Amino acid sequence: MENPVNPTAFPRQDTRTLADDGDELHFCSTCAFSQACLSEGMDKSGLMDLHMLVEHVGPFRAGEHIFREGDPFEAIAAVRAGTVKTYVIDREGREHVLGFHLPGEVIGLNAIDGEHYPCNAVALDTVMLCRFSFPKISVLAAQLPGLQRHLFRLLSRDIGRAALLAGDWTADQRMAAFLIALSRRLAARGFSATRFQLTMARTDIANYLRLAPETVSRVLRRFQQDGLLQVDRRELELVDRDRLEALAEPVLRG
């Protein structure tokens, strides 16, 4: 259920969706790891003693790269605001979209087992990040089992999203699953679950869903005709979320 006080429609920010930066003893609530560290009984001063550094970086403007495939892997980053697209380019020069990362989510996790980033990350709108030095967070994770478990959960979630659309699903099921998953992720961050902007281009959505761009447009048009949603360019409202949930259920149940 949505907050009855009219939740903010993504990507617009307010005090409920973009927290303050904390202080020397308290975490910024957008920190992807604060809860895990607090569960270990540590405050920020304790983390500073362990040389855990968190750097606020940005803004990155639309089209600016945060990292490129092959860059040395030095850090993972939590998105504080905006949307980040990750993608690779194959040998024929074709782009393959791997995912879209929203506020509160982490990029760079798929580089953990190597020395270089295996993909590109680009800002789709104005993006702010919290950057975590991975060598330092690794030392900290070895001392804090709660933080280590949290890292594993983030990795598992990332892998799960990558495998989300691997099944033999219809175009309608893929699109419904994409919209419902996006809705859930935004709601978890304090945004509206039913009204949001598609900050990614339809060609990117089609690429990610392994559909033709014209198929994406056709499915969205049909969903609108059937009363499932309303679309106004990139502005979208889920009108009949229950029917969309039912359509998405086979894809998302795993």
Side-chain angles (χ1 to χ4, degrees), residues 6-156:
N6 297 322
T8 303
F10 181 77
R12 290 185 290 276
Q13 300 283 349
D14 66 15
T15 55
R16 290 167 294 181
T17 59
L18 183 62
D20 61 67
D21 293 342
D23 56 33
E24 63 274 12
L25 293 176
H26 299 91
F27 293 96
C28 163
S29 65
T30 57
C31 174
F33 303 101
S34 61
Q35 198 57 49
C37 297
L38 289 172
S39 69
E40 296 292 324
M42 298 192 66
D43 60 14
K44 191 180 283 188
S45 61
L47 294 181
M48 289 174 67
D49 291 340
L50 290 167
H51 310 291
M52 163 69 175
L53 299 179
V54 180
E55 178 188 10
H56 288 156
V57 294
F60 295 87
R61 304 302 179 189
E64 288 187 317
H65 276 78
I66 295 153
F67 55 76
R68 293 182 183 272
E69 183 177 359
D71 285 351
F73 171 55
E74 298 172 345
I76 58 178
V79 180
R80 294 187 67 228
T83 310
V84 176
K85 177 180 78 172
T86 50
Y87 70 96
V88 294
I89 303 291
D90 67 19
R91 291 181 180 179
E92 284 72 43
R94 292 175 302 220
E95 180 177 310
H96 299 273
V97 176
L98 302 178
F100 306 103
H101 304 265
L102 306 171
E105 299 177 351
V106 178
I107 58 173
L109 289 169
N110 56 355
I112 283 178
D113 67 343
E115 297 180 354
H116 299 88
Y117 291 104
C119 65
N120 307 283
V122 64
L124 295 183
D125 48 9
T126 302
V127 167
M128 304 289 290
L129 301 172
C130 282
R131 190 174 182 272
F132 299 81
S133 162
F134 191 71
K136 290 168 183 170
I137 206 171
S138 298
V139 170
L140 184 60
Q143 300 177 45
L144 300 178
L147 181 56
Q148 194 171 64
R149 285 193 299 271
H150 192 65
L151 267 176
F152 288 148
R153 276 199 301 272
L154 289 171
L155 274 168
S156 174

Side-chain angles (χ1 to χ4, degrees), residues 189-253:
R189 187 63 189 83
F191 291 99
S192 171
T194 57
R195 294 176 298 108
F196 48 86
Q197 186 182 116
L198 295 174
T199 48
M200 61 292 293
R202 290 191 186 181
T203 50
D204 282 341
I205 296 173
N207 187 313
Y208 176 65
L209 297 179
R210 308 301 183 250
L211 298 171
E214 55 270 24
T215 302
V216 166
S217 295
R218 189 169 61 247
V219 170
L220 286 174
R221 193 159 52 245
R222 185 168 61 251
F223 280 2
Q224 182 163 257
Q225 290 168 350
D226 291 345
L228 299 179
L229 49 78
Q230 287 290 331
V231 184
D232 182 9
R233 299 185 182 181
R234 290 198 175 193
E235 301 289 333
L236 189 142
E237 181 178 1
L238 306 186
V239 177
D240 194 336
R241 201 168 184 275
D242 289 343
R243 285 169 64 196
L244 280 171
E245 290 261 13
L247 196 53
E249 194 271 338
V251 185
L252 299 179
R253 64 184 174 190

